[in-house]
Amino acid sequence: MNDTESSRLMLLRFLERVQERDLSRTRRWIADEERREAERRVGEARRPPAPEWLIERGLDRTNIVAVHTGECWDPGKRSKPATRAQAIEALRQQVPACSKCRPDTALGINV
């Protein structure tokens, strides 16, 4: 075997080692991504369901500012889950309905 064939074989062996290392790294990335995806699915399954109704309180936390549906895109930071009965009672006590999600319409109440 001459030097050219020997050096070519050495280069091919080197390439093989590099590719095996790259393949190993890619397989680790795939395993990491599969783990993250499984964790995300478990997290979604464990997440409690969104409330149907929200009651937004004022800064002093005693007065009620607005009633929202659970699907409202702008419920405010001080909104807490509420039952249907609590939402109806708040609307009957003249608490304003959110103008964005209109819970009074969803509840079938004329305010």
Side-chain angles (χ1 to χ4, degrees):
M1 194 188 279
N2 64 28
D3 284 340
T4 308
E5 289 176 6
S6 176
S7 65
R8 181 172 164 79
L9 183 58
M10 287 175 37
L11 287 173
L12 289 171
R13 295 280 183 209
F14 172 75
L15 176 62
E16 180 183 38
R17 288 191 306 272
V18 168
Q19 289 177 333
E20 285 175 348
R21 191 177 58 229
D22 287 347
L23 181 58
S24 175
R25 183 180 57 213
T26 301
R27 286 179 174 152
R28 277 194 317 273
W29 289 346
I30 290 169
D32 290 345
E33 191 60 32
E34 287 172 341
R35 179 186 44 77
R36 280 191 291 271
E37 181 64 23
E39 289 172 355
R40 185 191 62 76
R41 283 193 305 268
V42 167
E44 284 179 358
R46 290 183 179 170
R47 182 175 295 134
E52 286 189 60
W53 310 102
L54 298 167
I55 292 183
E56 183 178 358
R57 300 210 173 258
L59 288 174
D60 63 3
R61 307 242 186 236
T62 58
N63 63 328
I64 298 175
V65 177
V67 177
H68 303 267
T69 64
E71 299 168 354
C72 183
W73 59 270
D74 189 22
K77 293 180 181 179
R78 294 177 302 276
S79 295
K80 300 292 179 198
T83 64
R84 177 181 171 85
Q86 290 170 325
I88 290 171
E89 184 59 30
L91 292 170
R92 286 191 176 141
Q93 292 179 8
Q94 304 303 312
V95 173
C98 172
S99 61
K100 298 164 188 91
C101 64
R102 298 303 311 215
D104 52 337
T105 306
L107 288 167
I109 296 173
N110 293 327
V111 184

